């Protein structure tokens, strides 16, 4: 699955990439917030952004799983990205959005975030490795991006949506 | 993380693919062979036979021989080789189609199945059985010398015999023996159009009889045409034949029989003489003239003339026909009712493709993706519509989108339809088994099948044959009485089992109804008590329906002694469990002395199941009806705590209870209760004979739902079989009752307060995952 995802990602990236003025490639990232912190994920991963739909709680599922919802007849597992990244639970979800992400062959997973902010186009030079945050970073931290004077924690979706 | 890329069509080497093809093709041929044999068996019961069925079987085995040789399946090739010889003897009349021979043929079909399984790696090679069967073949065909046609006994003209193939000779003799009339049809064909014109004549004549042979007469009007004589054996009067062939420019005569009924030489002296054929037009060898008193009036054998004239005419195949096949289609018999079926099966073979079901799943997924595209299109259309300058474009786009949507739905339905296969597939197997079992049990049974065209999901069909076989065994072994017993109570000596299938809404019903002895409630109760399934006190409380339900209890049997058919006490409980796994329900009704009827209700596709929608602590769940025994009002006062577990008494039996809200640690959001909601319900579910009562707040009702698999991240959560959309975009989880029962009752044998234990386990699992 990993290879498949990667391949799909690069295919999509081919479209998402633009040329920066200096000739280096740029990658589009979607900025969102979790508990007041700014995060971003490569847009190529995201198939759709939804307002929250009714979510059915699944008893005895992992704590970071909000439940399941139906998107046009398709069953989607929804993860609470706050729980997944060890933030306190969300109180008010009026601005919350669910990012639909392809998780391989046949599965779509929803990631609930507090709020979607904007799209950033980052050049290689704008991205620093996760190690700048110090020591051992979890696998889902892909690096740190800088754009318009803001610092974004770049999330690598694969460890999150893949089989945990 | 590093999982294989999945996907159905990936990575099969060419060799594997060819092997797959071999298996499915061989299986298809074996199935066809089995059909032919069943038809022959039916016919032989009424003393008849159909030569074309024997030919079909012969051809099937011949093809199998070739196939197995190609794939190095030596055992199969060996069996095919011997079986081919046996069938060749049969179709040439060297040996008789007796019940014993049919047995051997059916046995071969079984062995083919086992050989195929063993080649696939699903079992040992049935080497010993094949060997034994080949020995039995030898015994049957060893007697073929005695069966060699004694030509003298029929006074067949040696000249004629010289021209007829062995097969035709056999057919001729058989038809004469059956007392059919022989007709000679003489027709002139232009060489240019002989193929189609001859076919036309044959197809018109065929419904009325069996075409034995056709030969050129050697006399034709001009060099561009050819005159053929067609010899046909038929039950009908000559006028009927004339009517059938009117306008075909043919002459029809009856070949008269001399000495009909006379002679007194054992009835074998049936002789035939041609009805004074007009001189000069008698086809040499074309007329079977079987002179008794008269000297042969036939002209020199036509063989040479015939072959010369008919370089491309049907006779050309004659030389090879003995060793291979009955040659040109002209040799095909029009043998009665089998004809239509044969055409049907031929057609289905030629227009059928085999598809791996995973490929269909893949297509279905693509349809799912297209639905997403459709969603995107809808939004774009909406955007464009808001632009007043683009109104026309919006309209066009909207129409396109509607067409797209309609086709998408059609495609989805089409793919679902492809998954559906007729139940006939499994019914044919059953017919074979019924034949075998009834012979073993020494009972005569007539199996009447209706609705074999009823379609059901391919995956369900595959799982059906074992349960249905069990029930057939039961019907024959326990239901149908011995012949003498039947006569004594005034029933026909041959028992009848009706196998009916039909569609009802989203379900397919299969009924197995016998006219046997029925089930005696007293016997059932006595047996259950003897086996320790029931105490006499409990027995007293059972309703008549529940008494019949005893047969579904594990270990139940009315037999004192186990035989090789049934009575081992594994059967109906397994049947019920297996049918339940398919989302189906088994129901029994029976009347003593009249018979028993088992009804299986199955969903048309595995994707649709019937559920009871229920509510607990503001959450909605679905429990498959297949797992539910009954739902009753919860009586708090009856609850006792035994070893830390809540139990109640239900019809004299102890029923463990499970409060779903505790098991799932649900939080009640509202303290406010609906009027009359103090009342709770117990939904009693069972699995493998073990029962648990689930305490719930409300029963919403019964519903047919489309069940969908849960995503990978929650698939491992125990207790849920899937989820479904309940309308207004809400998703309801479908409870996996067998898994829950297993979990709850296993906990009971362990620690006290098992519910708490499970909660703990659940929490551990959750936190373990969260920490990842």
């Amino acid at each position: 699955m990993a290879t498949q995802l990667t391949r799909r990602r690069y295919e999509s990236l081919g479209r998402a990439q633009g040329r920066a003025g200096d000739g280096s490639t740029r990658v589009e990232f979607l900025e969102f917030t979790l508990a007041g912190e700014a995060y971003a994920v490569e847009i190529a991963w995201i198939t759709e952004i939804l307002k929250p739909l009714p979510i059915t709680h699944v008893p005895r599922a992992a704590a970071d799983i909000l439940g399941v919802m139906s998107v046009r007849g398709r069953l989607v597992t929804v993860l609470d990205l706050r729980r997944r990244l060890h933030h306190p639970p969300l109180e008010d979800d009026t601005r919350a959005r669910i990012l639909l992400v392809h998780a391989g062959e046949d599965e779509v997973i929803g990631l609930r975030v507090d709020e979607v902010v904007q799209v950033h186009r980052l050049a290689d030079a704008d991205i620093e490795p996760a190690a700048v945050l110090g020591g051992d970073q979890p696998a889902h931290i892909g690096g740190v991006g800088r754009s318009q004077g803001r610092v974004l924690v770049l999330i690598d979706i694969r460890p999150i949506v893949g089989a945990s | 993380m590093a999982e294989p890329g999945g996907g159905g069509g990936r990575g099969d080497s060419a060799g594997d693919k060819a092997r797959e093809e071999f298996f499915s093709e061989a299986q298809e041929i074996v199935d066809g062979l089995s059909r032919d044999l069943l038809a022959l068996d039916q016919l032989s019961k009424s003393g008849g036979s159909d030569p074309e069925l024997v030919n079909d079987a012969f051809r099937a085995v011949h093809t199998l021989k070739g196939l197995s040789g190609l794939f190095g399946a030596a055992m199969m090739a060996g069996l095919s080789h011997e079986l081919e010889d046996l069938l060749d003897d049969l179709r040439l009349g060297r040996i008789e189609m007796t019940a014993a021979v049919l047995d051997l043929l059916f046995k071969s079909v079984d062995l083919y199945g086992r050989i195929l399984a063993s080649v696939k790696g699903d079992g040992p090679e049935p080497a010993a059985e094949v060997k034994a069967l080949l020995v039995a073949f030898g015994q049957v065909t060893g007697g073929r010398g005695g069966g060699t046609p004694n030509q003298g006994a029929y006074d067949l003209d040696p000249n004629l015999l010289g021209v007829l193939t062995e097969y035709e000779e056999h057919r001729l003799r058989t038809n004469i023996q059956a007392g059919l009339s022989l007709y000679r049809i003489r027709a002139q064909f232009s060489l240019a159009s002989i193929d189609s014109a001859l076919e036309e004549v044959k197809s018109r004549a065929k419904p009325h009889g069996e075409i034995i042979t056709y030969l050129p007469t050697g006399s034709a009007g001009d060099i561009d045409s050819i005159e053929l004589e067609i010899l046909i054996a038929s039950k009908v009067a000559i006028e009927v034949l004339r009517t059938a062939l009117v306008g075909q420019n043919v002459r029809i005569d009856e070949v008269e029989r001399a000495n009909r009924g006379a002679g007194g030489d054992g009835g074998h002296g049936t002789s035939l003489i041609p009805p004074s054929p007009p001189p000069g037009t008698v086809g040499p060898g074309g007329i079977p003239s079987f002179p008794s008193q008269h000297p042969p009036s036939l002209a020199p054998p036509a063989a040479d003339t015939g072959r010369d004239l008919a370089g491309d005419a049907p006779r050309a195949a004659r030389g090879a026909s003995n060793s291979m096949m009955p040659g040109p289609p002209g040799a095909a018999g029009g043998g009665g009712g089998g004809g239509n079926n044969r055409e049907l099966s031929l057609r289905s073979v030629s227009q059928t493709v085999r598809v791996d079901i995973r490929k269909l799943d893949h297509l279905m997924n693509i349809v799912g993706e297209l639905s997403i595209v459709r969603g995107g299109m809808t939004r774009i259309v909406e955007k464009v519509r808001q632009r007043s300058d683009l109104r026309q474009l919006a309209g066009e786009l909207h129409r396109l989108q509607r067409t797209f949507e309609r086709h998408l739905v059609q495609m989805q339905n089409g793919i679902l339809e492809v998954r559906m296969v007729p139940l006939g597939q499994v019914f044919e197997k059953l017919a074979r088994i019924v034949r075998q079992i009834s012979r073993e049990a020494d009972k005569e049974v007539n199996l009447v099948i209706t609705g074999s065209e009823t379609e059901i999901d391919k995956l369900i069909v595959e799982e059906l044959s074992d349960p249905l076989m069990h029930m057939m065994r039961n019907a024959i072994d326990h239901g149908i009485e011995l012949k003498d017993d039947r006569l004594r109570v005034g029933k026909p000596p041959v028992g009848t089992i009706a196998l009916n299938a039909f569609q009802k809404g989203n379900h397919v019903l299969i009924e197995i109804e016998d006219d046997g002895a029925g089930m005696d409630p007293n016997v059932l109760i006595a047996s259950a008590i003897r086996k320790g399934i029931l105490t006499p006190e409990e027995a007293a409380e059972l309703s008549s329906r529940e008494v019949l339900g005893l047969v579904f209890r594990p270990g139940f049997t009315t037999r004192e002694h186990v035989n090789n058919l049934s009575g081992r006490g594994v059967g109906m409980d397994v049947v019920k469990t297996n049918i339940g796994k398919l989302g189906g329900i088994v129901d029994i009704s029976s009347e003593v002395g009249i018979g028993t009827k088992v009804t299986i209700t199955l969903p048309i596709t595995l994707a649709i199941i019937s559920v009871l929608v229920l509510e607990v602590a503001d959450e909605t769940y679905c429990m498959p009806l297949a797992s539910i025994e009954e739902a009753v009002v919860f009586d708090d006062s009856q609850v006792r705590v035994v070893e830390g577990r809540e139990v109640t008494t239900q019809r004299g039996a102890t029923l463990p209870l499970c409060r779903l809200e505790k098991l799932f640690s649900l939080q009640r959001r509202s303290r406010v209760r609906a009027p009359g909601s103090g009342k709770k319900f117990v939904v009693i579910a069972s699995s493998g004979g073990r029962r648990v009562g689930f305490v719930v707040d409300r029963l919403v009702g019964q519903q047919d739902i489309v069940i969908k698999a849960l995503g990978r991240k929650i698939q491992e959560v125990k207790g849920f079989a899937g989820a479904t959309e309940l309308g207004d975009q809400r998703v309801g989880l479908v409870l996996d009752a067998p898994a829950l029962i297993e979990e709850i009752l296993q906990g009971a044998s362990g620690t006290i307060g098992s519910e708490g234990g499970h909660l703990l386990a659940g929490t551990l699992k959750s936190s373990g995952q969260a920490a990842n």
Side-chain angles (χ1 to χ4, degrees), chain B residues 428-449:
Chain B
E428 269 160 25
K429 267 191 232 165
L430 283 181
R432 204 167 74 221
I433 284 155
V434 163
R435 183 184 180 280
Q436 185 192 341
I437 302 170
S438 54
R439 283 178 67 87
E440 282 169 16
D442 198 22
K443 292 172 182 175
E444 277 196 61
V445 175
N446 187 18
L447 180 68
V448 182
I449 297 177

Short mmCIF file of all heavy atoms in Angstrom, two decimals, chain B residues 428-449:
data_model
loop_
_atom_site.label_atom_id
_atom_site.label_comp_id
_atom_site.label_asym_id
_atom_site.label_seq_id
_atom_site.Cartn_x
_atom_site.Cartn_y
_atom_site.Cartn_z
N GLU B 428 -28.56 -28.95 -9.31
CA GLU B 428 -28.10 -30.10 -10.10
C GLU B 428 -27.28 -31.05 -9.24
O GLU B 428 -27.42 -32.26 -9.30
CB GLU B 428 -27.26 -29.63 -11.27
CG GLU B 428 -28.08 -29.38 -12.51
CD GLU B 428 -27.36 -28.47 -13.48
OE1 GLU B 428 -26.11 -28.43 -13.43
OE2 GLU B 428 -28.04 -27.82 -14.27
N LYS B 429 -26.40 -30.44 -8.46
CA LYS B 429 -25.59 -31.26 -7.56
C LYS B 429 -26.49 -32.04 -6.61
O LYS B 429 -26.27 -33.21 -6.34
CB LYS B 429 -24.67 -30.35 -6.72
CG LYS B 429 -23.31 -30.15 -7.33
CD LYS B 429 -22.40 -29.49 -6.30
CE LYS B 429 -21.75 -28.26 -6.87
NZ LYS B 429 -21.16 -27.39 -5.86
N LEU B 430 -27.53 -31.36 -6.11
CA LEU B 430 -28.44 -32.01 -5.17
C LEU B 430 -29.13 -33.19 -5.81
O LEU B 430 -29.29 -34.25 -5.19
CB LEU B 430 -29.49 -31.01 -4.69
CG LEU B 430 -29.05 -30.01 -3.65
CD1 LEU B 430 -30.21 -29.14 -3.27
CD2 LEU B 430 -28.50 -30.72 -2.43
N ALA B 431 -29.55 -33.02 -7.06
CA ALA B 431 -30.26 -34.10 -7.73
C ALA B 431 -29.38 -35.34 -7.78
O ALA B 431 -29.86 -36.47 -7.57
CB ALA B 431 -30.65 -33.66 -9.14
N ARG B 432 -28.11 -35.13 -7.99
CA ARG B 432 -27.19 -36.26 -8.05
C ARG B 432 -27.09 -36.92 -6.69
O ARG B 432 -27.10 -38.15 -6.56
CB ARG B 432 -25.82 -35.74 -8.49
CG ARG B 432 -24.97 -36.79 -9.13
CD ARG B 432 -23.79 -36.14 -9.80
NE ARG B 432 -22.79 -35.68 -8.87
CZ ARG B 432 -22.15 -34.52 -9.00
NH1 ARG B 432 -22.43 -33.71 -9.98
NH2 ARG B 432 -21.24 -34.17 -8.12
N ILE B 433 -27.02 -36.06 -5.67
CA ILE B 433 -26.87 -36.61 -4.32
C ILE B 433 -28.13 -37.35 -3.88
O ILE B 433 -28.06 -38.41 -3.29
CB ILE B 433 -26.52 -35.46 -3.34
CG1 ILE B 433 -25.06 -35.10 -3.56
CG2 ILE B 433 -26.77 -35.86 -1.92
CD1 ILE B 433 -24.73 -33.70 -3.16
N VAL B 434 -29.27 -36.80 -4.23
CA VAL B 434 -30.53 -37.45 -3.87
C VAL B 434 -30.59 -38.84 -4.47
O VAL B 434 -30.98 -39.81 -3.83
CB VAL B 434 -31.73 -36.61 -4.35
CG1 VAL B 434 -33.00 -37.43 -4.35
CG2 VAL B 434 -31.89 -35.38 -3.48
N ARG B 435 -30.17 -38.92 -5.71
CA ARG B 435 -30.18 -40.21 -6.39
C ARG B 435 -29.32 -41.22 -5.61
O ARG B 435 -29.73 -42.33 -5.33
CB ARG B 435 -29.63 -40.03 -7.80
CG ARG B 435 -29.66 -41.30 -8.59
CD ARG B 435 -29.03 -41.10 -9.94
NE ARG B 435 -29.07 -42.34 -10.68
CZ ARG B 435 -28.22 -43.33 -10.50
NH1 ARG B 435 -27.27 -43.22 -9.59
NH2 ARG B 435 -28.34 -44.43 -11.20
N GLN B 436 -28.13 -40.73 -5.25
CA GLN B 436 -27.19 -41.61 -4.56
C GLN B 436 -27.72 -42.02 -3.19
O GLN B 436 -27.74 -43.20 -2.85
CB GLN B 436 -25.86 -40.87 -4.42
CG GLN B 436 -24.74 -41.69 -3.84
CD GLN B 436 -23.58 -40.79 -3.45
OE1 GLN B 436 -23.46 -39.66 -3.94
NE2 GLN B 436 -22.72 -41.27 -2.58
N ILE B 437 -28.20 -41.03 -2.44
CA ILE B 437 -28.66 -41.34 -1.08
C ILE B 437 -29.86 -42.26 -1.12
O ILE B 437 -29.97 -43.20 -0.33
CB ILE B 437 -29.03 -40.05 -0.31
CG1 ILE B 437 -27.84 -39.11 -0.26
CG2 ILE B 437 -29.49 -40.38 1.08
CD1 ILE B 437 -28.20 -37.75 0.28
N SER B 438 -30.77 -41.99 -2.04
CA SER B 438 -31.99 -42.79 -2.02
C SER B 438 -31.67 -44.24 -2.40
O SER B 438 -32.29 -45.16 -1.88
CB SER B 438 -33.04 -42.20 -2.97
OG SER B 438 -32.50 -42.04 -4.25
N ARG B 439 -30.69 -44.42 -3.25
CA ARG B 439 -30.30 -45.80 -3.57
C ARG B 439 -29.67 -46.46 -2.36
O ARG B 439 -29.95 -47.62 -2.06
CB ARG B 439 -29.34 -45.81 -4.75
CG ARG B 439 -30.04 -45.61 -6.07
CD ARG B 439 -29.03 -45.58 -7.20
NE ARG B 439 -28.39 -46.89 -7.38
CZ ARG B 439 -28.90 -47.84 -8.15
NH1 ARG B 439 -30.02 -47.64 -8.77
NH2 ARG B 439 -28.28 -48.99 -8.27
N GLU B 440 -28.83 -45.69 -1.67
CA GLU B 440 -28.18 -46.26 -0.49
C GLU B 440 -29.19 -46.60 0.59
O GLU B 440 -29.06 -47.58 1.29
CB GLU B 440 -27.14 -45.29 0.06
CG GLU B 440 -25.84 -45.30 -0.74
CD GLU B 440 -24.91 -44.15 -0.36
OE1 GLU B 440 -25.14 -43.53 0.71
OE2 GLU B 440 -24.00 -43.87 -1.14
N ALA B 441 -30.20 -45.75 0.71
CA ALA B 441 -31.19 -45.96 1.75
C ALA B 441 -32.28 -46.91 1.29
O ALA B 441 -33.20 -47.21 2.05
CB ALA B 441 -31.81 -44.61 2.15
N ASP B 442 -32.19 -47.36 0.06
CA ASP B 442 -33.16 -48.27 -0.51
C ASP B 442 -34.57 -47.68 -0.47
O ASP B 442 -35.52 -48.34 -0.06
CB ASP B 442 -33.11 -49.62 0.22
CG ASP B 442 -33.79 -50.71 -0.62
OD1 ASP B 442 -33.89 -50.51 -1.85
OD2 ASP B 442 -34.24 -51.71 -0.04
N LYS B 443 -34.65 -46.43 -0.83
CA LYS B 443 -35.95 -45.79 -0.91
C LYS B 443 -36.07 -45.17 -2.28
O LYS B 443 -35.09 -44.67 -2.82
CB LYS B 443 -36.09 -44.70 0.16
CG LYS B 443 -36.14 -45.24 1.56
CD LYS B 443 -36.08 -44.13 2.57
CE LYS B 443 -36.09 -44.71 3.98
NZ LYS B 443 -35.91 -43.68 5.00
N GLU B 444 -37.27 -45.20 -2.81
CA GLU B 444 -37.45 -44.55 -4.10
C GLU B 444 -37.93 -43.14 -3.90
O GLU B 444 -38.91 -42.90 -3.19
CB GLU B 444 -38.44 -45.35 -4.95
CG GLU B 444 -37.76 -46.51 -5.67
CD GLU B 444 -38.61 -47.04 -6.78
OE1 GLU B 444 -38.91 -46.26 -7.72
OE2 GLU B 444 -39.00 -48.21 -6.71
N VAL B 445 -37.22 -42.22 -4.50
CA VAL B 445 -37.54 -40.82 -4.30
C VAL B 445 -37.60 -40.10 -5.65
O VAL B 445 -36.74 -40.29 -6.50
CB VAL B 445 -36.46 -40.13 -3.42
CG1 VAL B 445 -36.75 -38.65 -3.33
CG2 VAL B 445 -36.43 -40.75 -2.05
N ASN B 446 -38.63 -39.34 -5.80
CA ASN B 446 -38.75 -38.52 -6.99
C ASN B 446 -38.50 -37.07 -6.58
O ASN B 446 -39.24 -36.51 -5.77
CB ASN B 446 -40.16 -38.70 -7.58
CG ASN B 446 -40.29 -38.02 -8.91
OD1 ASN B 446 -39.28 -37.69 -9.54
ND2 ASN B 446 -41.51 -37.79 -9.33
N LEU B 447 -37.44 -36.49 -7.11
CA LEU B 447 -37.12 -35.11 -6.76
C LEU B 447 -37.73 -34.18 -7.80
O LEU B 447 -37.45 -34.29 -8.98
CB LEU B 447 -35.60 -34.92 -6.71
CG LEU B 447 -35.12 -33.52 -6.35
CD1 LEU B 447 -35.46 -33.18 -4.92
CD2 LEU B 447 -33.61 -33.40 -6.56
N VAL B 448 -38.60 -33.30 -7.33
CA VAL B 448 -39.25 -32.36 -8.25
C VAL B 448 -38.69 -30.97 -7.98
O VAL B 448 -38.86 -30.42 -6.89
CB VAL B 448 -40.78 -32.36 -8.03
CG1 VAL B 448 -41.43 -31.43 -9.03
CG2 VAL B 448 -41.32 -33.76 -8.16
N ILE B 449 -38.01 -30.43 -8.97
CA ILE B 449 -37.36 -29.14 -8.77
C ILE B 449 -38.12 -28.06 -9.52
O ILE B 449 -38.43 -28.21 -10.70
CB ILE B 449 -35.91 -29.19 -9.28
CG1 ILE B 449 -35.11 -30.21 -8.47
CG2 ILE B 449 -35.27 -27.82 -9.21
CD1 ILE B 449 -33.68 -30.37 -8.95
#
